[in-house]
Amino acid sequence: MKIHREGYLIIAVAILFVWVVIVLFHFVFLNSLVDTSLIVAGAIFLLLIVQFFRDPRRYPPLHPDYILSPADGKVVVIEETIEQEYLNKSCRQISIFMSPLDVHINRLPASGKITYMKYHPGKFLVAWHPKSSTENERATFVIQLHQGIEIVMRQIAGAMARRIRYYVSEGQNVVQGKEFGFIKFGSRVDIFIPNDAHVKIKLGDHVKGGETILAELTS
């Protein structure tokens, strides 16, 4: 299993922590049952940490009219709304909640150019809270597609997620399906697309970043 680079330090610290706890308890209790219990608990803890940072290979269905899912997780919002940070007009919002068990790599939904990017410090409300999209720590990106259409994508930190990472910059040309960021320990990604796009998923669906087609643009 391939591990994402964001996990290297955290996994190393977790291994050291588990080792220190096992050694300390061994010398304090001198009990083989305690040793065995701690080893099992430590192994489970490390397995959970490692699986969180897994980096599975993805096979994007590349197409200029497809809007791919930017994240793994559950679709919790599909609604018409006004995107107020950049577009300032009516559009379709799709929100994906990423639980701690989901892959937390974020992938580009479409090819184009990053025309706007801004990081916002903020609160850490639970990711499914209605105000998390505007009040939580977040990063907003706008991708201008080849048709001239602009879509907005937003990484949102949740109650557990305290670190947003992104690897793109304003003015950069980007490729559909490629990795653009990472959010640690539970979070949400919103995407805002034209109202006339044909949505291909429904509420409650579990989607895969870089593979699931969220919508298809009308030519």
Side-chain angles (χ1 to χ4, degrees), residues 149-190:
I149 296 171
E150 289 183 313
I151 62 173
V152 175
M153 185 170 54
R154 184 170 294 133
Q155 293 176 301
I156 303 169
M160 293 177 63
R162 300 297 173 117
R163 185 75 62 177
I164 290 175
R165 298 289 194 191
Y166 46 85
Y167 317 122
V168 295
S169 56
E170 193 168 322
Q172 179 179 342
N173 291 316
V174 295
V175 178
Q176 189 175 45
K178 295 294 186 181
E179 177 185 336
F180 82 89
F182 195 101
I183 317 179
K184 297 180 181 178
F185 301 112
S187 47
R188 172 175 153 180
V189 176
D190 291 349

Short mmCIF file of all heavy atoms in Angstrom, two decimals, residues 149-190:
data_model
loop_
_atom_site.label_atom_id
_atom_site.label_comp_id
_atom_site.label_asym_id
_atom_site.label_seq_id
_atom_site.Cartn_x
_atom_site.Cartn_y
_atom_site.Cartn_z
N ILE A 149 -15.87 28.40 -19.05
CA ILE A 149 -16.64 28.25 -17.81
C ILE A 149 -15.70 28.23 -16.62
O ILE A 149 -14.61 27.65 -16.68
CB ILE A 149 -17.47 26.94 -17.86
CG1 ILE A 149 -18.50 27.00 -18.98
CG2 ILE A 149 -18.15 26.66 -16.52
CD1 ILE A 149 -19.18 25.68 -19.24
N GLU A 150 -16.11 28.84 -15.52
CA GLU A 150 -15.34 28.78 -14.29
C GLU A 150 -16.12 27.99 -13.23
O GLU A 150 -17.31 28.21 -13.03
CB GLU A 150 -15.04 30.19 -13.76
CG GLU A 150 -14.03 30.94 -14.62
CD GLU A 150 -13.67 32.30 -14.05
OE1 GLU A 150 -14.61 33.04 -13.67
OE2 GLU A 150 -12.48 32.63 -13.99
N ILE A 151 -15.43 27.07 -12.59
CA ILE A 151 -16.02 26.34 -11.47
C ILE A 151 -15.22 26.64 -10.21
O ILE A 151 -14.02 26.92 -10.27
CB ILE A 151 -16.06 24.82 -11.73
CG1 ILE A 151 -14.64 24.26 -11.90
CG2 ILE A 151 -16.91 24.51 -12.96
CD1 ILE A 151 -14.61 22.73 -11.99
N VAL A 152 -15.91 26.62 -9.08
CA VAL A 152 -15.28 26.93 -7.80
C VAL A 152 -15.17 25.65 -6.97
O VAL A 152 -16.11 24.84 -6.92
CB VAL A 152 -16.11 27.97 -7.02
CG1 VAL A 152 -15.52 28.19 -5.62
CG2 VAL A 152 -16.16 29.29 -7.78
N MET A 153 -14.04 25.49 -6.34
CA MET A 153 -13.79 24.33 -5.49
C MET A 153 -13.29 24.83 -4.15
O MET A 153 -12.48 25.76 -4.10
CB MET A 153 -12.76 23.44 -6.18
CG MET A 153 -12.46 22.14 -5.52
SD MET A 153 -11.44 21.13 -6.65
CE MET A 153 -10.10 22.26 -7.00
N ARG A 154 -13.76 24.22 -3.06
CA ARG A 154 -13.38 24.73 -1.73
C ARG A 154 -13.05 23.59 -0.78
O ARG A 154 -13.86 22.70 -0.54
CB ARG A 154 -14.52 25.58 -1.17
CG ARG A 154 -14.22 26.25 0.16
CD ARG A 154 -15.31 27.26 0.50
NE ARG A 154 -15.31 28.37 -0.45
CZ ARG A 154 -16.39 28.85 -1.05
NH1 ARG A 154 -17.58 28.31 -0.81
NH2 ARG A 154 -16.30 29.86 -1.90
N GLN A 155 -11.84 23.60 -0.24
CA GLN A 155 -11.45 22.68 0.83
C GLN A 155 -11.89 23.29 2.15
O GLN A 155 -11.63 24.46 2.42
CB GLN A 155 -9.93 22.51 0.88
CG GLN A 155 -9.29 21.81 -0.29
CD GLN A 155 -7.78 21.81 -0.13
OE1 GLN A 155 -7.15 22.88 -0.04
NE2 GLN A 155 -7.17 20.63 -0.10
N ILE A 156 -12.55 22.49 2.99
CA ILE A 156 -13.05 22.99 4.27
C ILE A 156 -12.57 22.09 5.40
O ILE A 156 -12.82 20.88 5.39
CB ILE A 156 -14.59 23.05 4.28
CG1 ILE A 156 -15.10 23.92 3.13
CG2 ILE A 156 -15.11 23.59 5.61
CD1 ILE A 156 -16.59 23.83 2.91
N ALA A 157 -11.90 22.66 6.38
CA ALA A 157 -11.46 21.89 7.55
C ALA A 157 -12.66 21.61 8.44
O ALA A 157 -13.56 22.43 8.58
CB ALA A 157 -10.40 22.68 8.32
N GLY A 158 -12.66 20.43 9.07
CA GLY A 158 -13.74 20.07 9.98
C GLY A 158 -13.32 20.18 11.42
O GLY A 158 -12.31 20.80 11.74
N ALA A 159 -14.08 19.54 12.32
CA ALA A 159 -13.79 19.62 13.75
C ALA A 159 -12.47 18.93 14.08
O ALA A 159 -11.75 19.35 14.99
CB ALA A 159 -14.93 18.98 14.54
N MET A 160 -12.15 17.86 13.34
CA MET A 160 -10.90 17.14 13.56
C MET A 160 -9.79 17.62 12.64
O MET A 160 -8.62 17.57 12.99
CB MET A 160 -11.12 15.64 13.36
CG MET A 160 -12.01 14.98 14.38
SD MET A 160 -12.27 13.23 14.01
CE MET A 160 -10.61 12.60 14.14
N ALA A 161 -10.15 18.07 11.45
CA ALA A 161 -9.14 18.47 10.47
C ALA A 161 -8.58 19.85 10.81
O ALA A 161 -9.30 20.84 10.79
CB ALA A 161 -9.76 18.51 9.08
N ARG A 162 -7.32 19.91 11.13
CA ARG A 162 -6.71 21.18 11.51
C ARG A 162 -5.59 21.57 10.55
O ARG A 162 -4.79 22.45 10.88
CB ARG A 162 -6.16 21.08 12.95
CG ARG A 162 -7.22 20.76 13.99
CD ARG A 162 -8.26 21.84 14.09
NE ARG A 162 -9.36 21.49 14.95
CZ ARG A 162 -9.69 22.12 16.08
NH1 ARG A 162 -8.96 23.14 16.49
NH2 ARG A 162 -10.74 21.75 16.77
N ARG A 163 -5.55 20.95 9.41
CA ARG A 163 -4.47 21.25 8.49
C ARG A 163 -4.91 21.03 7.05
O ARG A 163 -5.19 19.92 6.64
CB ARG A 163 -3.27 20.34 8.79
CG ARG A 163 -2.04 20.65 7.97
CD ARG A 163 -1.33 21.90 8.44
NE ARG A 163 -0.86 21.76 9.81
CZ ARG A 163 -0.16 22.68 10.45
NH1 ARG A 163 0.14 23.81 9.85
NH2 ARG A 163 0.23 22.48 11.68
N ILE A 164 -5.01 22.11 6.30
CA ILE A 164 -5.31 22.04 4.88
C ILE A 164 -4.01 22.18 4.10
O ILE A 164 -3.21 23.08 4.36
CB ILE A 164 -6.29 23.16 4.46
CG1 ILE A 164 -7.68 22.91 5.04
CG2 ILE A 164 -6.38 23.27 2.94
CD1 ILE A 164 -8.65 24.03 4.76
N ARG A 165 -3.78 21.28 3.15
CA ARG A 165 -2.61 21.36 2.29
C ARG A 165 -3.08 21.51 0.84
O ARG A 165 -4.05 20.86 0.44
CB ARG A 165 -1.78 20.08 2.41
CG ARG A 165 -1.22 19.81 3.79
CD ARG A 165 -0.12 20.77 4.14
NE ARG A 165 0.64 20.31 5.30
CZ ARG A 165 1.52 21.05 5.94
NH1 ARG A 165 1.78 22.29 5.53
NH2 ARG A 165 2.17 20.57 6.99
N TYR A 166 -2.40 22.34 0.07
CA TYR A 166 -2.69 22.41 -1.35
C TYR A 166 -1.39 22.64 -2.11
O TYR A 166 -0.44 23.25 -1.59
CB TYR A 166 -3.72 23.50 -1.68
CG TYR A 166 -3.49 24.84 -1.02
CD1 TYR A 166 -2.64 25.78 -1.59
CD2 TYR A 166 -4.14 25.17 0.16
CE1 TYR A 166 -2.44 27.01 -0.99
CE2 TYR A 166 -3.95 26.39 0.77
CZ TYR A 166 -3.10 27.31 0.20
OH TYR A 166 -2.91 28.53 0.80
N TYR A 167 -1.36 22.13 -3.34
CA TYR A 167 -0.12 22.10 -4.11
C TYR A 167 -0.24 22.81 -5.45
O TYR A 167 0.54 22.55 -6.37
CB TYR A 167 0.31 20.64 -4.34
CG TYR A 167 0.16 19.75 -3.13
CD1 TYR A 167 -0.64 18.61 -3.20
CD2 TYR A 167 0.78 20.04 -1.92
CE1 TYR A 167 -0.80 17.78 -2.09
CE2 TYR A 167 0.63 19.22 -0.82
CZ TYR A 167 -0.17 18.10 -0.90
OH TYR A 167 -0.33 17.28 0.19
N VAL A 168 -1.22 23.68 -5.58
CA VAL A 168 -1.39 24.45 -6.82
C VAL A 168 -1.28 25.93 -6.50
O VAL A 168 -1.36 26.34 -5.33
CB VAL A 168 -2.75 24.15 -7.49
CG1 VAL A 168 -2.82 22.71 -7.94
CG2 VAL A 168 -3.91 24.48 -6.54
N SER A 169 -1.12 26.74 -7.53
CA SER A 169 -0.99 28.18 -7.33
C SER A 169 -1.78 28.92 -8.41
O SER A 169 -2.08 28.36 -9.48
CB SER A 169 0.48 28.61 -7.37
OG SER A 169 1.09 28.21 -8.58
N GLU A 170 -2.11 30.16 -8.13
CA GLU A 170 -2.87 30.97 -9.07
C GLU A 170 -2.08 31.14 -10.37
O GLU A 170 -0.88 31.40 -10.36
CB GLU A 170 -3.19 32.33 -8.45
CG GLU A 170 -4.23 33.12 -9.22
CD GLU A 170 -4.75 34.32 -8.44
OE1 GLU A 170 -4.91 34.21 -7.21
OE2 GLU A 170 -4.97 35.37 -9.06
N GLY A 171 -2.77 30.98 -11.49
CA GLY A 171 -2.13 31.09 -12.80
C GLY A 171 -1.62 29.77 -13.35
O GLY A 171 -1.20 29.71 -14.51
N GLN A 172 -1.67 28.72 -12.55
CA GLN A 172 -1.15 27.42 -12.97
C GLN A 172 -2.15 26.68 -13.84
O GLN A 172 -3.35 26.69 -13.59
CB GLN A 172 -0.83 26.59 -11.72
CG GLN A 172 -0.29 25.20 -12.01
CD GLN A 172 0.03 24.44 -10.73
OE1 GLN A 172 0.17 25.01 -9.65
NE2 GLN A 172 0.15 23.12 -10.84
N ASN A 173 -1.65 26.03 -14.88
CA ASN A 173 -2.48 25.12 -15.68
C ASN A 173 -2.52 23.77 -14.99
O ASN A 173 -1.47 23.25 -14.57
CB ASN A 173 -1.91 24.98 -17.09
CG ASN A 173 -2.04 26.26 -17.90
OD1 ASN A 173 -3.08 26.91 -17.88
ND2 ASN A 173 -0.98 26.62 -18.60
N VAL A 174 -3.71 23.19 -14.87
CA VAL A 174 -3.88 21.96 -14.12
C VAL A 174 -4.55 20.89 -14.98
O VAL A 174 -5.23 21.21 -15.97
CB VAL A 174 -4.69 22.19 -12.83
CG1 VAL A 174 -3.92 23.10 -11.88
CG2 VAL A 174 -6.06 22.80 -13.14
N VAL A 175 -4.38 19.63 -14.58
CA VAL A 175 -4.86 18.50 -15.35
C VAL A 175 -5.89 17.70 -14.54
O VAL A 175 -5.65 17.37 -13.37
CB VAL A 175 -3.70 17.58 -15.77
CG1 VAL A 175 -4.22 16.36 -16.53
CG2 VAL A 175 -2.69 18.35 -16.62
N GLN A 176 -6.99 17.40 -15.17
CA GLN A 176 -8.08 16.64 -14.57
C GLN A 176 -7.58 15.34 -13.93
O GLN A 176 -6.83 14.59 -14.53
CB GLN A 176 -9.12 16.32 -15.64
CG GLN A 176 -10.42 15.72 -15.16
CD GLN A 176 -11.40 15.56 -16.31
OE1 GLN A 176 -11.03 15.11 -17.40
NE2 GLN A 176 -12.65 15.95 -16.10
N GLY A 177 -8.03 15.11 -12.69
CA GLY A 177 -7.71 13.87 -12.00
C GLY A 177 -6.42 13.90 -11.20
O GLY A 177 -6.19 13.02 -10.36
N LYS A 178 -5.56 14.89 -11.43
CA LYS A 178 -4.29 14.97 -10.70
C LYS A 178 -4.53 15.48 -9.27
O LYS A 178 -5.47 16.20 -8.99
CB LYS A 178 -3.31 15.89 -11.42
CG LYS A 178 -2.87 15.40 -12.80
CD LYS A 178 -2.06 14.11 -12.70
CE LYS A 178 -1.51 13.71 -14.07
NZ LYS A 178 -0.73 12.44 -14.01
N GLU A 179 -3.62 15.11 -8.40
CA GLU A 179 -3.71 15.54 -6.99
C GLU A 179 -3.46 17.04 -6.87
O GLU A 179 -2.56 17.58 -7.51
CB GLU A 179 -2.66 14.77 -6.19
CG GLU A 179 -2.57 15.15 -4.72
CD GLU A 179 -1.43 14.44 -4.02
OE1 GLU A 179 -1.01 13.36 -4.49
OE2 GLU A 179 -0.95 14.97 -3.01
N PHE A 180 -4.28 17.72 -6.06
CA PHE A 180 -4.02 19.14 -5.81
C PHE A 180 -3.93 19.48 -4.33
O PHE A 180 -3.49 20.57 -3.97
CB PHE A 180 -5.10 20.02 -6.47
CG PHE A 180 -6.36 20.17 -5.66
CD1 PHE A 180 -6.51 21.17 -4.72
CD2 PHE A 180 -7.42 19.29 -5.85
CE1 PHE A 180 -7.67 21.31 -3.98
CE2 PHE A 180 -8.59 19.42 -5.12
CZ PHE A 180 -8.72 20.43 -4.18
N GLY A 181 -4.33 18.57 -3.45
CA GLY A 181 -4.27 18.91 -2.03
C GLY A 181 -4.58 17.73 -1.14
O GLY A 181 -4.81 16.60 -1.59
N PHE A 182 -4.61 18.03 0.17
CA PHE A 182 -4.83 17.01 1.20
C PHE A 182 -5.40 17.71 2.42
O PHE A 182 -4.98 18.82 2.75
CB PHE A 182 -3.49 16.34 1.56
CG PHE A 182 -3.60 15.05 2.32
CD1 PHE A 182 -3.46 13.84 1.68
CD2 PHE A 182 -3.83 15.05 3.68
CE1 PHE A 182 -3.55 12.64 2.37
CE2 PHE A 182 -3.92 13.87 4.39
CZ PHE A 182 -3.78 12.65 3.73
N ILE A 183 -6.38 17.08 3.07
CA ILE A 183 -6.91 17.61 4.33
C ILE A 183 -6.82 16.51 5.37
O ILE A 183 -7.29 15.40 5.14
CB ILE A 183 -8.36 18.10 4.22
CG1 ILE A 183 -8.60 18.88 2.94
CG2 ILE A 183 -8.71 18.97 5.42
CD1 ILE A 183 -10.03 19.35 2.76
N LYS A 184 -6.28 16.82 6.53
CA LYS A 184 -6.02 15.79 7.54
C LYS A 184 -7.19 15.60 8.51
O LYS A 184 -7.70 16.57 9.06
CB LYS A 184 -4.74 16.12 8.32
CG LYS A 184 -3.50 16.13 7.45
CD LYS A 184 -2.25 16.47 8.24
CE LYS A 184 -1.03 16.49 7.32
NZ LYS A 184 0.20 16.85 8.05
N PHE A 185 -7.59 14.35 8.68
CA PHE A 185 -8.51 13.90 9.73
C PHE A 185 -9.92 14.48 9.66
O PHE A 185 -10.37 15.20 10.55
CB PHE A 185 -7.90 14.17 11.12
CG PHE A 185 -6.59 13.49 11.32
CD1 PHE A 185 -5.42 14.21 11.41
CD2 PHE A 185 -6.53 12.11 11.38
CE1 PHE A 185 -4.20 13.57 11.58
CE2 PHE A 185 -5.31 11.45 11.54
CZ PHE A 185 -4.15 12.20 11.64
N GLY A 186 -10.67 14.13 8.64
CA GLY A 186 -12.09 14.47 8.56
C GLY A 186 -12.32 15.88 8.05
O GLY A 186 -11.81 16.83 8.61
N SER A 187 -13.10 16.03 7.00
CA SER A 187 -13.22 17.34 6.37
C SER A 187 -14.31 17.32 5.31
O SER A 187 -15.09 16.37 5.24
CB SER A 187 -11.88 17.74 5.75
OG SER A 187 -11.36 16.65 5.00
N ARG A 188 -14.33 18.35 4.48
CA ARG A 188 -15.37 18.46 3.45
C ARG A 188 -14.81 19.24 2.26
O ARG A 188 -13.96 20.12 2.41
CB ARG A 188 -16.56 19.20 4.07
CG ARG A 188 -17.66 19.59 3.11
CD ARG A 188 -18.81 20.20 3.89
NE ARG A 188 -19.59 21.13 3.10
CZ ARG A 188 -20.65 21.78 3.55
NH1 ARG A 188 -21.05 21.59 4.79
NH2 ARG A 188 -21.30 22.63 2.78
N VAL A 189 -15.32 18.90 1.08
CA VAL A 189 -14.98 19.65 -0.13
C VAL A 189 -16.28 20.06 -0.81
O VAL A 189 -17.16 19.22 -1.03
CB VAL A 189 -14.10 18.82 -1.10
CG1 VAL A 189 -13.86 19.60 -2.38
CG2 VAL A 189 -12.78 18.45 -0.45
N ASP A 190 -16.40 21.34 -1.14
CA ASP A 190 -17.54 21.86 -1.90
C ASP A 190 -17.09 22.16 -3.32
O ASP A 190 -15.96 22.61 -3.53
CB ASP A 190 -18.08 23.16 -1.28
CG ASP A 190 -18.74 22.96 0.07
OD1 ASP A 190 -18.99 21.80 0.44
OD2 ASP A 190 -19.01 23.97 0.75
#
